[in-house]
């Protein structure tokens, strides 16, 4: 079995934020991708702007240029490393199979976006970019944040899994004995990075000596 940590890092990853709860996951994923030297094409929906304000007290600018500058400065992106595209920007590279990214993640992924991708609607750049990933047989990771799940949600997920997408619910593991919300966030983001083939050191892996940290208050 190939160790994903040894896989070549994709040159370009498309990242989409949608209106599901879980914006801290998306922002941490963006930070880690940029920190790993990956070029990121970012797209987000109007609903994602509302969620970012509610959950992170972060204003995602409506204009792509403003967003590039603000997020690039926030996460210390290199010049040209972060590109932000409007949801209706059909001239963006990710809109065509002739110039797709190497991989894509939708994090967080709303049930509306998931259903649209499952139905092949491609009515906006997020849906179209995901559609391109599927037809070009490139990695597409969807992080759906909803509970409980209806039969419609589950059927859409199954349809997408059969089409080649990775369905990665943000379900953190507790065997690492997380000490904070940040630890739980990093656990999920680490699994997304694994599926994208991006190396990271966000936490211990199963079977490693450092898997179980000391108990709280225990002496070193």
């Amino acid at each position: 079995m190939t160790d994903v940590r040894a896989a070549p890092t994709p040159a370009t990853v498309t990242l989409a934020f949608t209106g599901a709860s879980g914006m801290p996951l998306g922002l941490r994923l963006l930070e880690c991708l940029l920190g790993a030297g990956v070029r990121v094409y970012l797209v987000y929906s109007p609903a994602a702007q509302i969620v970012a304000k509610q959950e992170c007290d972060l204003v995602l600018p409506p204009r792509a240029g403003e967003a590039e500058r603000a997020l690039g400065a926030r996460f210390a992106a290199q010049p040209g490393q972060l590109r932000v595209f409007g949801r209706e920007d059909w001239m963006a590279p990710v809109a065509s199979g002739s110039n797709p990214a190497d991989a894509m993640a939708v994090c967080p992924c709303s049930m509306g976006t998931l259903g649209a991708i499952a139905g092949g609607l491609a009515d906006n750049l997020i849906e179209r970019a995901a559609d391109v990933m599927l037809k070009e047989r490139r990695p597409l990771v969807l992080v759906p944040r909803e509970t409980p799940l209806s039969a419609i949600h589950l059927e859409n997920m199954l349809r997408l899994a059969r089409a080649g997408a990775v369905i990665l619910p943000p379900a953190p593991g507790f065997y690492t004995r997380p000490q904070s919300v940040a630890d739980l966030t990093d656990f999920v983001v680490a699994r997304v990075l694994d599926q994208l083939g991006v190396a990271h050191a966000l936490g211990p892996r199963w079977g490693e000596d450092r898997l179980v940290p000391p108990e709280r208050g225990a002496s070193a």
Side-chain angles (χ1 to χ4, degrees):
M1 181 178 295
T2 301
D3 186 344
V4 295
R5 289 172 291 180
T9 299
T12 304
V13 169
T14 301
L15 175 59
F17 301 156
T18 66
S21 179
M23 189 57 63
L25 296 169
L27 292 172
R28 180 60 168 151
L29 179 57
L30 174 60
E31 179 182 17
C32 290
L33 288 170
L34 293 172
V38 176
R39 180 172 60 176
V40 178
Y41 291 155
L42 177 65
V43 189
Y44 49 80
S45 68
Q49 293 174 278
I50 297 173
V51 174
K53 180 62 177 176
Q54 172 67 26
E55 296 185 346
C56 305
D57 200 24
L58 173 67
V59 175
L60 289 175
R63 297 180 184 274
E66 294 176 6
E68 282 184 17
R69 289 189 291 273
L71 293 173
R74 180 187 180 101
F75 297 121
Q78 297 299 311
Q81 187 185 9
L82 174 63
R83 296 286 310 280
V84 180
F85 298 101
R87 206 171 64 128
E88 307 301 327
D89 186 355
W90 297 108
M91 296 305 295
V94 297
S96 173
S98 68
N99 194 17
D102 297 288
M104 178 176 180
V106 184
C107 177
C109 183
S110 68
M111 290 301 102
T113 297
L114 189 142
I117 297 171
L121 299 185
D123 283 341
N124 58 57
L125 189 59
I126 295 175
E127 297 166 11
R128 173 56 182 169
D131 194 53
V132 168
M133 290 291 107
L134 292 176
K135 79 184 187 70
E136 299 295 329
R137 301 187 182 276
R138 299 197 177 196
L140 172 62
V141 183
L142 306 176
V143 184
R145 222 304 306 166
E146 183 63 274
T147 190
L149 296 168
S150 72
I152 294 173
H153 300 154
L154 293 168
E155 287 170 355
N156 284 336
M157 291 181 194
L158 178 58
R159 187 175 189 181
L160 284 165
R162 286 173 171 164
V166 173
I167 307 300
L168 199 156
F174 290 88
Y175 57 83
T176 56
R177 298 188 184 179
Q179 304 295 300
S180 65
V181 173
D183 289 343
L184 297 174
T185 298
D186 277 0
F187 183 95
V188 175
V189 171
R191 303 289 78 77
V192 178
L193 292 170
D194 286 345
Q195 293 299 320
L196 295 174
V198 176
H200 66 86
L202 288 184
R205 295 178 182 273
W206 184 260
E208 291 184 349
D209 292 339
R210 61 189 179 95
L211 180 63
V212 180
E215 294 183 4
R216 295 183 185 180
S219 60

